[in-house]
Amino acid sequence: MNVEFINPFLSSMLNVMSTMAQMDLKPEKPRLKKNEVAHGDVSGLIGMVSDQARGSLSITFEGSLALAAMKNMVGEAPDEVNEEITDLVGEITNMVTGGAKRMLSEKGIEFDMATPMVVSGKDHTIKHKAEGAVVIIALGSEFGKAYIEFSFD
C-alpha cells in the first residue's frame, strides 16, 4: 500500500471533519484489517479507478460521532442513526474523496470516482472493490471513532 496514495485521503478526512464539523480527529496507527465487518454503525464506500490503481475507500462512523457531526454541521441531529445520518456520511465520503482527488491530481495521479454507497447497521460488512490488502486507520475523538479503510490493487 502506497503511503503517497493514503496520506491525501487521511489529510482530507481530517480537514473535512475540522472545517465542516468543527471536530479534531486523532489518527491512530494504521493496521491491516482481517475481515469485512465494519467497526462502526454507518459506512460510506466509494470505488476509484485510475491508470495507476484501482480500489476503494470506506469511511465508517460510530453512531455517536455521526450524530455529533450532524449536530455541529446543521445545528440539530436525530436521536439515532437514520436516513439523514446515512445521507450525511455519504456526503462526507464525497467531500473526503474530492479533497484527496485534488491533492493527488497535483502529484499527477488522476482517478475517476463512483457514487458513494452507504451501508448502516450493527456488524454490517464492507466489500472493497480491490483484491489488495485492506489498511484501516482509526480516528479518535471525544464523541467516538471513525475508521477510514483503503484497498487498492
Side-chain angles (χ1 to χ4, degrees), residues 7-28:
N7 283 343
F9 289 96
L10 182 58
S11 176
S12 183
M13 174 71 175
L14 297 174
N15 181 52
V16 166
M17 293 302 291
S18 174
T19 58
M20 302 300 292
Q22 295 78 50
M23 293 181 171
D24 291 321
L25 301 181
K26 302 286 181 240
E28 297 176 10

Side-chain angles (χ1 to χ4, degrees), residues 72-84:
N72 285 3
M73 290 171 82
V74 299
E76 59 185 17
D79 295 329
E80 60 188 23
V81 173
N82 64 11
E83 191 175 324
E84 288 178 293

Side-chain angles (χ1 to χ4, degrees), residues 120-137:
S120 64
K122 185 168 174 45
D123 295 329
H124 66 274
T125 58
I126 300 169
K127 294 191 187 300
H128 284 278
K129 309 292 183 200
E131 301 299 320
V134 177
V135 174
I136 184 170
I137 302 171

Side-chain angles (χ1 to χ4, degrees), residues 90-117:
E91 193 53 43
I92 289 171
T93 304
N94 249 341
M95 288 187 278
V96 168
T97 309
K101 183 176 181 174
R102 211 170 21 259
M103 287 181 239
L104 287 166
S105 177
E106 292 168 5
K107 296 178 181 185
I109 300 171
E110 301 287 340
F111 62 89
D112 294 320
M113 303 182 307
T115 302
M117 179 178 75

Side-chain angles (χ1 to χ4, degrees), residues 26-125:
K26 302 286 181 240
E28 297 176 10
K29 186 178 174 187
R31 55 191 165 84
L32 290 178
K33 188 174 177 202
K34 304 289 187 206
N35 60 35
E36 295 179 341
V37 178
H39 289 285
D41 301 305
V42 58
S43 300
L45 176 67
I46 193 163
M48 297 168 285
V49 177
S50 77
D51 290 340
Q52 296 94 335
R54 179 178 74 101
S56 56
L57 160 88
S58 71
I59 301 171
T60 302
F61 287 83
E62 290 180 347
S64 57
L65 179 58
L67 294 167
M70 178 171 252
K71 186 161 181 43
N72 285 3
M73 290 171 82
V74 299
E76 59 185 17
D79 295 329
E80 60 188 23
V81 173
N82 64 11
E83 191 175 324
E84 288 178 293
I85 296 295
T86 59
D87 287 349
L88 176 78
V89 169
E91 193 53 43
I92 289 171
T93 304
N94 249 341
M95 288 187 278
V96 168
T97 309
K101 183 176 181 174
R102 211 170 21 259
M103 287 181 239
L104 287 166
S105 177
E106 292 168 5
K107 296 178 181 185
I109 300 171
E110 301 287 340
F111 62 89
D112 294 320
M113 303 182 307
T115 302
M117 179 178 75
V118 181
V119 184
S120 64
K122 185 168 174 45
D123 295 329
H124 66 274
T125 58

